[in-house]
Amino acid sequence: MQIAMVQDKFVPVEQLDAAYFDRGLYFGDGVYEVIRSYNGRIFALDEHIERFAHSLAAIEIIGVDVKEIRRRVQKAFDKAGIANAKIYFHVTRGCGPRNHSWDNSLKPNFFLIISELEDASELKTKGVAVSVYPDMRWKRCDIKSLNLLPNVLAHQDASKKGCFEAILVNDAGFITEGSSSAFFQIFGRALHTTPLSNNILPSVTRKFVLKAALNARLELVEKSITPNQAQTADELFLAVTTKDIIPVIKFDSRTVSGGKPGKYTKQLIEEFRLFTA
Ligand code: PDD
């Protein structure tokens, strides 16, 4: 016998929406992607699908055809008719009784939502403030998992401080990445960022930023730095699918880059734009 309650009402268990039994809800047991389009064309779809396949495999969700996921994304995007769209989708392991271990007969659930992207041009011209927060995440941050509580808490802390993003700092005192973005520092003509490992998400935007940096003839340095070092950078910026490159003009209350977007950051924004045309 089982009884269920939703808010203050008893609901017969057999009448409960299946979504209440989704392991994504109980355990964050699923993986997701965020993709965008520029002027009616999806950007870097192959890279996102490849990362999604990696995430699925890493948490042992089997039997999902990523080619079919790709088709669904394209079909939904075509139907939405939104030129600058944000495409979110996830796959959870499926619905079932709340047991920590799972049964491979579970049927994975797919969900997708497409919305209009907010215009990021003002953020790009003015720049944003960031604050630091401890990186409390697990040891597989390379997986784009639905478990985002540490990221959510970090981002909320930044919002409370009037900041746009939280920069995560690990136990050893080094910056890993933003709570939902990659983070870059420029010293002279050298572009620094955290090396890829299990400690950060392999950001798709990061990959294109590194390409843009080569085109801009910047030197690449994949090395972690501390918040104190970041404060002395000539320029700082964030990179994320939904906004590509966002200049940072304040780091933990200290003005950086003279309080305005730096010249190489602006150059990278222009180089990046060429990939999206
Ligand atoms: N976040 N690092 C983290 C922890 C992220 O969550 C994200 C993206 C990035 C940037 O990755 P990409 O360039 O592939 O978007 C880096 C998405 C957008 C989100 O969770 O909404």
Short mmCIF file of all heavy atoms in Angstrom, two decimals, residues 219-276:
data_model
loop_
_atom_site.label_atom_id
_atom_site.label_comp_id
_atom_site.label_asym_id
_atom_site.label_seq_id
_atom_site.Cartn_x
_atom_site.Cartn_y
_atom_site.Cartn_z
N GLU A 219 48.50 34.48 -27.47
CA GLU A 219 49.16 33.27 -26.98
C GLU A 219 48.17 32.55 -26.05
O GLU A 219 47.46 33.21 -25.29
CB GLU A 219 50.40 33.72 -26.19
CG GLU A 219 51.27 32.61 -25.67
CD GLU A 219 52.18 33.10 -24.54
OE1 GLU A 219 52.43 34.32 -24.47
OE2 GLU A 219 52.61 32.26 -23.75
N LEU A 220 48.11 31.22 -26.13
CA LEU A 220 47.17 30.48 -25.27
C LEU A 220 47.92 29.85 -24.09
O LEU A 220 48.93 29.19 -24.29
CB LEU A 220 46.49 29.36 -26.04
CG LEU A 220 45.67 29.75 -27.27
CD1 LEU A 220 45.01 28.52 -27.88
CD2 LEU A 220 44.61 30.77 -26.88
N VAL A 221 47.37 30.04 -22.90
CA VAL A 221 47.97 29.43 -21.71
C VAL A 221 46.85 28.72 -20.95
O VAL A 221 45.98 29.36 -20.38
CB VAL A 221 48.63 30.50 -20.79
CG1 VAL A 221 49.32 29.82 -19.61
CG2 VAL A 221 49.61 31.36 -21.56
N GLU A 222 46.87 27.38 -20.99
CA GLU A 222 45.84 26.63 -20.27
C GLU A 222 46.40 26.29 -18.89
O GLU A 222 47.09 25.29 -18.72
CB GLU A 222 45.43 25.41 -21.07
CG GLU A 222 44.73 25.81 -22.37
CD GLU A 222 44.16 24.65 -23.13
OE1 GLU A 222 43.21 24.02 -22.65
OE2 GLU A 222 44.69 24.37 -24.22
N LYS A 223 46.09 27.14 -17.93
CA LYS A 223 46.66 27.05 -16.59
C LYS A 223 45.68 27.69 -15.62
O LYS A 223 45.10 28.73 -15.92
CB LYS A 223 47.98 27.84 -16.62
CG LYS A 223 48.86 27.64 -15.44
CD LYS A 223 50.25 28.24 -15.74
CE LYS A 223 50.92 28.54 -14.42
NZ LYS A 223 51.21 29.94 -14.22
N SER A 224 45.52 27.04 -14.45
CA SER A 224 44.59 27.60 -13.46
C SER A 224 45.28 28.73 -12.70
O SER A 224 46.47 28.64 -12.40
CB SER A 224 44.20 26.53 -12.45
OG SER A 224 43.72 25.40 -13.12
N ILE A 225 44.51 29.76 -12.36
CA ILE A 225 45.09 30.85 -11.57
C ILE A 225 44.22 31.10 -10.33
O ILE A 225 43.12 30.57 -10.21
CB ILE A 225 45.28 32.15 -12.39
CG1 ILE A 225 43.94 32.77 -12.78
CG2 ILE A 225 46.13 31.90 -13.62
CD1 ILE A 225 44.09 34.20 -13.29
N THR A 226 44.74 31.90 -9.42
CA THR A 226 44.01 32.19 -8.18
C THR A 226 43.20 33.47 -8.35
O THR A 226 43.49 34.27 -9.26
CB THR A 226 45.01 32.40 -7.01
OG1 THR A 226 45.77 33.58 -7.30
CG2 THR A 226 45.94 31.21 -6.84
N PRO A 227 42.24 33.71 -7.46
CA PRO A 227 41.49 34.98 -7.53
C PRO A 227 42.41 36.20 -7.43
O PRO A 227 42.20 37.19 -8.13
CB PRO A 227 40.54 34.89 -6.33
CG PRO A 227 40.34 33.43 -6.12
CD PRO A 227 41.66 32.80 -6.46
N ASN A 228 43.45 36.13 -6.58
CA ASN A 228 44.37 37.27 -6.46
C ASN A 228 45.05 37.56 -7.79
O ASN A 228 45.23 38.71 -8.17
CB ASN A 228 45.45 37.00 -5.40
CG ASN A 228 44.92 37.27 -4.00
OD1 ASN A 228 43.88 37.92 -3.84
ND2 ASN A 228 45.60 36.76 -3.00
N GLN A 229 45.44 36.48 -8.49
CA GLN A 229 46.08 36.68 -9.79
C GLN A 229 45.07 37.24 -10.80
O GLN A 229 45.41 38.11 -11.60
CB GLN A 229 46.67 35.36 -10.29
CG GLN A 229 47.88 34.91 -9.49
CD GLN A 229 48.29 33.47 -9.80
OE1 GLN A 229 47.44 32.59 -10.01
NE2 GLN A 229 49.58 33.24 -9.85
N ALA A 230 43.83 36.73 -10.72
CA ALA A 230 42.79 37.19 -11.67
C ALA A 230 42.56 38.70 -11.53
O ALA A 230 42.34 39.39 -12.52
CB ALA A 230 41.50 36.42 -11.45
N GLN A 231 42.66 39.17 -10.30
CA GLN A 231 42.43 40.61 -10.06
C GLN A 231 43.48 41.49 -10.73
O GLN A 231 43.24 42.67 -10.94
CB GLN A 231 42.46 40.88 -8.56
CG GLN A 231 41.13 40.58 -7.91
CD GLN A 231 41.13 40.90 -6.43
OE1 GLN A 231 42.15 41.14 -5.83
NE2 GLN A 231 39.94 40.89 -5.84
N THR A 232 44.62 40.89 -11.04
CA THR A 232 45.68 41.70 -11.66
C THR A 232 45.70 41.53 -13.19
O THR A 232 46.58 42.07 -13.85
CB THR A 232 47.07 41.30 -11.10
OG1 THR A 232 47.35 39.95 -11.55
CG2 THR A 232 47.13 41.35 -9.58
N ALA A 233 44.74 40.78 -13.71
CA ALA A 233 44.71 40.57 -15.17
C ALA A 233 44.40 41.89 -15.88
O ALA A 233 43.75 42.77 -15.31
CB ALA A 233 43.66 39.53 -15.52
N ASP A 234 44.86 41.99 -17.14
CA ASP A 234 44.54 43.20 -17.91
C ASP A 234 43.07 43.17 -18.33
O ASP A 234 42.43 44.21 -18.42
CB ASP A 234 45.44 43.26 -19.15
CG ASP A 234 46.90 43.38 -18.76
OD1 ASP A 234 47.18 44.17 -17.84
OD2 ASP A 234 47.74 42.66 -19.33
N GLU A 235 42.58 41.97 -18.62
CA GLU A 235 41.19 41.83 -19.05
C GLU A 235 40.66 40.49 -18.56
O GLU A 235 41.44 39.53 -18.43
CB GLU A 235 41.08 41.85 -20.58
CG GLU A 235 41.68 43.09 -21.22
CD GLU A 235 41.59 43.07 -22.74
OE1 GLU A 235 40.66 42.44 -23.29
OE2 GLU A 235 42.47 43.68 -23.37
N LEU A 236 39.36 40.45 -18.33
CA LEU A 236 38.70 39.20 -17.94
C LEU A 236 37.43 39.07 -18.77
O LEU A 236 36.81 40.08 -19.10
CB LEU A 236 38.30 39.23 -16.46
CG LEU A 236 39.40 39.39 -15.40
CD1 LEU A 236 38.77 39.56 -14.02
CD2 LEU A 236 40.32 38.18 -15.41
N PHE A 237 37.06 37.83 -19.06
CA PHE A 237 35.73 37.65 -19.67
C PHE A 237 35.17 36.26 -19.40
O PHE A 237 35.90 35.34 -19.02
CB PHE A 237 35.74 37.98 -21.17
CG PHE A 237 36.57 37.06 -22.04
CD1 PHE A 237 36.05 35.90 -22.58
CD2 PHE A 237 37.89 37.38 -22.34
CE1 PHE A 237 36.81 35.07 -23.39
CE2 PHE A 237 38.68 36.57 -23.15
CZ PHE A 237 38.12 35.41 -23.68
N LEU A 238 33.85 36.16 -19.60
CA LEU A 238 33.12 34.90 -19.46
C LEU A 238 32.76 34.40 -20.84
O LEU A 238 32.63 35.21 -21.78
CB LEU A 238 31.82 35.13 -18.69
CG LEU A 238 31.91 35.78 -17.31
CD1 LEU A 238 30.52 36.19 -16.83
CD2 LEU A 238 32.55 34.81 -16.32
N ALA A 239 32.56 33.09 -20.96
CA ALA A 239 32.10 32.54 -22.23
C ALA A 239 31.04 31.48 -21.97
O ALA A 239 31.25 30.60 -21.13
CB ALA A 239 33.28 31.92 -22.99
N VAL A 240 29.94 31.62 -22.66
CA VAL A 240 28.82 30.69 -22.50
C VAL A 240 27.98 30.72 -23.77
O VAL A 240 27.86 31.76 -24.42
CB VAL A 240 27.99 31.06 -21.24
CG1 VAL A 240 27.46 32.48 -21.27
CG2 VAL A 240 26.84 30.07 -21.03
N THR A 241 27.41 29.57 -24.10
CA THR A 241 26.61 29.43 -25.30
C THR A 241 25.61 30.56 -25.50
O THR A 241 25.52 31.12 -26.59
CB THR A 241 25.83 28.08 -25.22
OG1 THR A 241 26.78 27.04 -25.35
CG2 THR A 241 24.78 27.96 -26.30
N THR A 242 24.84 30.87 -24.47
CA THR A 242 23.72 31.80 -24.64
C THR A 242 24.15 33.24 -24.92
O THR A 242 23.36 34.04 -25.40
CB THR A 242 22.83 31.78 -23.38
OG1 THR A 242 23.70 31.87 -22.24
CG2 THR A 242 22.02 30.51 -23.30
N LYS A 243 25.41 33.57 -24.59
CA LYS A 243 25.85 34.97 -24.75
C LYS A 243 27.21 35.09 -25.40
O LYS A 243 27.72 36.18 -25.54
CB LYS A 243 25.89 35.65 -23.38
CG LYS A 243 24.51 35.65 -22.70
CD LYS A 243 24.49 36.38 -21.40
CE LYS A 243 23.10 36.42 -20.82
NZ LYS A 243 22.57 35.08 -20.46
N ASP A 244 27.79 34.05 -25.80
CA ASP A 244 29.20 33.91 -26.20
C ASP A 244 30.14 34.67 -25.27
O ASP A 244 30.26 34.27 -24.12
CB ASP A 244 29.44 34.10 -27.72
CG ASP A 244 28.92 35.38 -28.31
OD1 ASP A 244 29.54 36.40 -28.06
OD2 ASP A 244 27.89 35.34 -29.04
N ILE A 245 30.75 35.78 -25.71
CA ILE A 245 31.77 36.41 -24.84
C ILE A 245 31.21 37.63 -24.10
O ILE A 245 30.65 38.53 -24.72
CB ILE A 245 32.98 36.84 -25.70
CG1 ILE A 245 33.64 35.59 -26.32
CG2 ILE A 245 33.99 37.64 -24.88
CD1 ILE A 245 34.71 35.87 -27.34
N ILE A 246 31.35 37.63 -22.78
CA ILE A 246 30.88 38.76 -21.95
C ILE A 246 32.08 39.33 -21.18
O ILE A 246 32.65 38.64 -20.33
CB ILE A 246 29.80 38.30 -20.94
CG1 ILE A 246 28.59 37.67 -21.65
CG2 ILE A 246 29.35 39.46 -20.05
CD1 ILE A 246 27.71 38.65 -22.37
N PRO A 247 32.43 40.59 -21.44
CA PRO A 247 33.55 41.18 -20.69
C PRO A 247 33.22 41.32 -19.21
O PRO A 247 32.08 41.60 -18.84
CB PRO A 247 33.70 42.58 -21.32
CG PRO A 247 32.90 42.55 -22.59
CD PRO A 247 31.84 41.51 -22.42
N VAL A 248 34.24 41.13 -18.38
CA VAL A 248 34.11 41.32 -16.92
C VAL A 248 34.86 42.60 -16.55
O VAL A 248 36.03 42.75 -16.92
CB VAL A 248 34.69 40.10 -16.16
CG1 VAL A 248 34.78 40.38 -14.66
CG2 VAL A 248 33.85 38.86 -16.43
N ILE A 249 34.19 43.49 -15.84
CA ILE A 249 34.86 44.76 -15.49
C ILE A 249 35.05 44.91 -13.98
O ILE A 249 35.67 45.85 -13.52
CB ILE A 249 34.11 45.97 -16.06
CG1 ILE A 249 32.63 45.93 -15.64
CG2 ILE A 249 34.22 46.01 -17.59
CD1 ILE A 249 31.95 47.26 -15.73
N LYS A 250 34.46 43.98 -13.21
CA LYS A 250 34.66 44.00 -11.77
C LYS A 250 34.82 42.58 -11.28
O LYS A 250 34.01 41.71 -11.61
CB LYS A 250 33.43 44.60 -11.09
CG LYS A 250 33.76 45.83 -10.29
CD LYS A 250 32.55 46.33 -9.59
CE LYS A 250 32.76 47.77 -9.21
NZ LYS A 250 31.67 48.31 -8.48
N PHE A 251 35.88 42.33 -10.51
CA PHE A 251 36.13 40.99 -9.98
C PHE A 251 36.14 41.11 -8.47
O PHE A 251 37.04 41.74 -7.90
CB PHE A 251 37.47 40.45 -10.50
CG PHE A 251 37.75 39.05 -10.10
CD1 PHE A 251 37.38 37.98 -10.90
CD2 PHE A 251 38.37 38.76 -8.89
CE1 PHE A 251 37.63 36.67 -10.51
CE2 PHE A 251 38.62 37.46 -8.49
CZ PHE A 251 38.24 36.41 -9.31
N ASP A 252 35.12 40.56 -7.81
CA ASP A 252 35.02 40.63 -6.36
C ASP A 252 35.23 42.07 -5.84
O ASP A 252 36.11 42.32 -5.02
CB ASP A 252 36.08 39.69 -5.73
CG ASP A 252 35.41 38.66 -4.84
OD1 ASP A 252 34.17 38.54 -4.86
OD2 ASP A 252 36.14 37.96 -4.10
N SER A 253 34.44 42.97 -6.36
CA SER A 253 34.41 44.40 -5.98
C SER A 253 35.62 45.20 -6.46
O SER A 253 35.67 46.41 -6.25
CB SER A 253 34.32 44.59 -4.46
OG SER A 253 33.27 43.84 -3.94
N ARG A 254 36.64 44.54 -7.08
CA ARG A 254 37.79 45.30 -7.59
C ARG A 254 37.59 45.58 -9.07
O ARG A 254 37.30 44.67 -9.85
CB ARG A 254 39.08 44.47 -7.42
CG ARG A 254 39.58 44.36 -6.01
CD ARG A 254 40.61 45.42 -5.65
NE ARG A 254 41.84 45.31 -6.43
CZ ARG A 254 42.92 44.65 -6.02
NH1 ARG A 254 42.92 43.99 -4.87
NH2 ARG A 254 44.01 44.64 -6.75
N THR A 255 37.72 46.83 -9.45
CA THR A 255 37.59 47.19 -10.86
C THR A 255 38.76 46.59 -11.65
O THR A 255 39.91 46.66 -11.21
CB THR A 255 37.57 48.73 -11.01
OG1 THR A 255 36.43 49.19 -10.30
CG2 THR A 255 37.47 49.16 -12.47
N VAL A 256 38.44 45.96 -12.76
CA VAL A 256 39.49 45.43 -13.64
C VAL A 256 39.33 46.07 -15.02
O VAL A 256 38.25 46.57 -15.35
CB VAL A 256 39.45 43.88 -13.76
CG1 VAL A 256 39.99 43.21 -12.52
CG2 VAL A 256 38.07 43.38 -14.09
N SER A 257 40.40 46.05 -15.77
CA SER A 257 40.36 46.53 -17.16
C SER A 257 39.88 47.99 -17.24
O SER A 257 39.21 48.36 -18.21
CB SER A 257 39.46 45.57 -17.95
OG SER A 257 39.32 45.91 -19.26
N GLY A 258 40.19 48.76 -16.20
CA GLY A 258 39.80 50.18 -16.20
C GLY A 258 38.29 50.37 -16.19
O GLY A 258 37.78 51.44 -16.56
N GLY A 259 37.56 49.33 -15.80
CA GLY A 259 36.10 49.46 -15.71
C GLY A 259 35.38 49.41 -17.04
O GLY A 259 34.19 49.69 -17.12
N LYS A 260 36.12 49.02 -18.12
CA LYS A 260 35.42 48.84 -19.40
C LYS A 260 36.00 47.65 -20.17
O LYS A 260 37.14 47.25 -19.90
CB LYS A 260 35.42 50.11 -20.23
CG LYS A 260 36.69 50.92 -20.23
CD LYS A 260 36.43 52.23 -20.97
CE LYS A 260 37.65 52.91 -21.48
NZ LYS A 260 38.94 52.65 -20.97
N PRO A 261 35.20 47.11 -21.09
CA PRO A 261 35.68 45.95 -21.84
C PRO A 261 37.03 46.23 -22.49
O PRO A 261 37.24 47.30 -23.07
CB PRO A 261 34.59 45.74 -22.90
CG PRO A 261 33.36 46.31 -22.27
CD PRO A 261 33.82 47.49 -21.46
N GLY A 262 37.94 45.28 -22.36
CA GLY A 262 39.30 45.46 -22.87
C GLY A 262 39.39 45.27 -24.38
O GLY A 262 38.51 44.68 -25.00
N LYS A 263 40.51 45.75 -24.95
CA LYS A 263 40.64 45.74 -26.42
C LYS A 263 40.70 44.32 -26.99
O LYS A 263 40.11 44.03 -28.02
CB LYS A 263 41.82 46.59 -26.89
CG LYS A 263 43.18 46.09 -26.49
CD LYS A 263 44.27 46.91 -27.16
CE LYS A 263 45.62 46.39 -26.68
NZ LYS A 263 46.75 47.07 -27.20
N TYR A 264 41.41 43.40 -26.31
CA TYR A 264 41.49 42.04 -26.87
C TYR A 264 40.16 41.31 -26.70
O TYR A 264 39.77 40.50 -27.54
CB TYR A 264 42.64 41.25 -26.23
CG TYR A 264 44.00 41.79 -26.63
CD1 TYR A 264 44.93 42.16 -25.67
CD2 TYR A 264 44.33 41.95 -27.97
CE1 TYR A 264 46.17 42.67 -26.04
CE2 TYR A 264 45.56 42.46 -28.36
CZ TYR A 264 46.47 42.82 -27.38
OH TYR A 264 47.68 43.33 -27.76
N THR A 265 39.47 41.61 -25.60
CA THR A 265 38.14 40.99 -25.42
C THR A 265 37.23 41.44 -26.56
O THR A 265 36.52 40.61 -27.16
CB THR A 265 37.54 41.39 -24.05
OG1 THR A 265 38.48 41.07 -23.03
CG2 THR A 265 36.23 40.68 -23.79
N LYS A 266 37.30 42.72 -26.88
CA LYS A 266 36.45 43.24 -27.97
C LYS A 266 36.86 42.61 -29.30
O LYS A 266 36.01 42.25 -30.12
CB LYS A 266 36.57 44.77 -28.04
CG LYS A 266 35.83 45.44 -26.88
CD LYS A 266 35.52 46.90 -27.15
CE LYS A 266 36.67 47.75 -26.76
NZ LYS A 266 36.41 49.18 -26.68
N GLN A 267 38.16 42.42 -29.46
CA GLN A 267 38.63 41.78 -30.70
C GLN A 267 38.13 40.33 -30.79
O GLN A 267 37.71 39.87 -31.85
CB GLN A 267 40.16 41.83 -30.73
CG GLN A 267 40.73 41.50 -32.09
CD GLN A 267 42.26 41.51 -32.09
OE1 GLN A 267 42.91 42.01 -31.16
NE2 GLN A 267 42.85 40.93 -33.13
N LEU A 268 38.16 39.65 -29.64
CA LEU A 268 37.69 38.25 -29.63
C LEU A 268 36.18 38.19 -29.92
O LEU A 268 35.71 37.27 -30.59
CB LEU A 268 38.01 37.58 -28.29
CG LEU A 268 39.49 37.27 -28.06
CD1 LEU A 268 39.74 36.77 -26.65
CD2 LEU A 268 40.00 36.23 -29.08
N ILE A 269 35.44 39.17 -29.41
CA ILE A 269 33.99 39.21 -29.70
C ILE A 269 33.79 39.32 -31.22
O ILE A 269 32.95 38.61 -31.80
CB ILE A 269 33.31 40.39 -28.95
CG1 ILE A 269 33.27 40.10 -27.44
CG2 ILE A 269 31.90 40.65 -29.49
CD1 ILE A 269 32.76 41.23 -26.55
N GLU A 270 34.60 40.15 -31.86
CA GLU A 270 34.50 40.31 -33.32
C GLU A 270 34.91 39.02 -34.04
O GLU A 270 34.23 38.59 -34.97
CB GLU A 270 35.39 41.47 -33.81
CG GLU A 270 34.86 42.84 -33.45
CD GLU A 270 33.38 43.01 -33.77
OE1 GLU A 270 32.96 42.68 -34.89
OE2 GLU A 270 32.63 43.46 -32.87
N GLU A 271 36.00 38.41 -33.59
CA GLU A 271 36.46 37.15 -34.22
C GLU A 271 35.39 36.07 -34.05
O GLU A 271 35.14 35.29 -34.97
CB GLU A 271 37.78 36.67 -33.59
CG GLU A 271 38.98 37.51 -33.89
CD GLU A 271 39.50 37.32 -35.33
OE1 GLU A 271 39.05 36.38 -36.01
OE2 GLU A 271 40.33 38.14 -35.75
N PHE A 272 34.80 36.03 -32.87
CA PHE A 272 33.78 35.01 -32.58
C PHE A 272 32.58 35.20 -33.51
O PHE A 272 32.01 34.24 -34.02
CB PHE A 272 33.34 35.10 -31.11
CG PHE A 272 32.61 33.88 -30.62
CD1 PHE A 272 33.28 32.92 -29.87
CD2 PHE A 272 31.28 33.66 -30.92
CE1 PHE A 272 32.62 31.78 -29.43
CE2 PHE A 272 30.61 32.52 -30.48
CZ PHE A 272 31.29 31.59 -29.73
N ARG A 273 32.24 36.48 -33.73
CA ARG A 273 31.08 36.79 -34.59
C ARG A 273 31.25 36.17 -35.97
O ARG A 273 30.27 35.74 -36.60
CB ARG A 273 30.95 38.31 -34.67
CG ARG A 273 29.61 38.79 -35.14
CD ARG A 273 29.36 40.24 -34.81
NE ARG A 273 29.04 40.44 -33.39
CZ ARG A 273 29.20 41.60 -32.75
NH1 ARG A 273 29.69 42.65 -33.37
NH2 ARG A 273 28.86 41.70 -31.48
N LEU A 274 32.50 36.09 -36.45
CA LEU A 274 32.74 35.53 -37.79
C LEU A 274 32.33 34.05 -37.85
O LEU A 274 31.89 33.57 -38.89
CB LEU A 274 34.22 35.68 -38.18
CG LEU A 274 34.77 37.09 -38.20
CD1 LEU A 274 36.26 37.09 -38.52
CD2 LEU A 274 34.02 37.95 -39.22
N PHE A 275 32.45 33.33 -36.72
CA PHE A 275 32.07 31.90 -36.70
C PHE A 275 30.55 31.74 -36.80
O PHE A 275 30.05 30.68 -37.14
CB PHE A 275 32.51 31.23 -35.40
CG PHE A 275 33.99 31.26 -35.14
CD1 PHE A 275 34.47 31.49 -33.85
CD2 PHE A 275 34.90 31.02 -36.15
CE1 PHE A 275 35.84 31.50 -33.60
CE2 PHE A 275 36.27 31.04 -35.90
CZ PHE A 275 36.74 31.29 -34.62
N THR A 276 29.82 32.78 -36.39
CA THR A 276 28.37 32.64 -36.25
C THR A 276 27.63 33.20 -37.46
O THR A 276 26.40 33.11 -37.53
CB THR A 276 27.87 33.38 -35.00
OG1 THR A 276 28.07 34.79 -35.18
CG2 THR A 276 28.60 32.94 -33.75
#
